[in-house]
Amino acid sequence: QVQLVESGGGLVQAGGSLRLSCAASGFLRINQMGWYRQAPGKQRELVADITSGGNTNYLDSVKGRFTISRENAKNTVYLQMNSLKPEDTAVYYCNAVGITTAQAMAVMPLERVYWGQGTQVTVSS
């Protein structure tokens, strides 16, 4: 069974910090994991992602404030969020790109994108 379980969201004052975690299960391999967010009435946007090789990518507005990291052996990705701003308020979703253990049985397994259920981050002013 494939699961992406997020944790660590909550309410914090502007300037504060939160650390999000996402634990993935049911994968044979995961090549990329990341965090997206979606504010009410807004489109979902990429916040940060990281490849299995450690290459990272960040949304411009979070550069210097957020740090994504990954423990490949644990299939877990983290998002350390510092200097939070009210505009960071959103539901944050974990995603993973990889091959599940079930899909690996196929003749030609293909990577797919999987999503967690999201965790709410609220930053007060």
Side-chain angles (χ1 to χ4, degrees):
Q1 182 179 359
V2 174
Q3 284 189 300
L4 296 173
V5 181
E6 302 106 329
S7 63
L11 175 65
V12 65
Q13 293 186 15
S17 298
L18 287 172
R19 181 177 170 86
L20 306 183
S21 299
C22 174
S25 61
F27 289 86
L28 179 65
R29 64 175 64 89
I30 299 175
N31 289 329
Q32 181 173 299
M33 299 187 75
W35 291 94
Y36 288 68
R37 68 186 182 188
Q38 187 168 23
K42 303 292 185 180
Q43 294 293 311
R44 186 175 298 187
E45 62 183 354
L46 173 68
V47 178
D49 59 21
I50 184 169
T51 68
S52 60
N55 294 321
T56 59
N57 181 50
Y58 293 93
L59 180 68
D60 285 344
S61 62
V62 309
K63 289 180 179 177
R65 300 188 297 120
F66 292 8
T67 302
I68 189 169
S69 61
R70 179 178 177 181
E71 296 184 39
N72 291 340
K74 298 180 180 179
N75 287 333
T76 301
V77 65
Y78 306 93
L79 186 67
Q80 179 66 46
M81 304 185 294
N82 299 325
S83 302
L84 283 162
K85 304 175 180 179
E87 52 262 43
D88 295 319
T89 296
V91 177
Y92 283 70
Y93 297 90
C94 175
N95 87 331
V97 180
I99 300 173
T100 67
T101 55
Q103 181 65 22
M105 298 179 64
V107 174
M108 186 180 296
L110 298 175
E111 292 185 335
R112 297 179 182 179
V113 181
Y114 300 88
W115 295 91
Q117 294 300 306
T119 184
Q120 177 70 47
V121 171
T122 302
V123 184
S124 64
S125 59

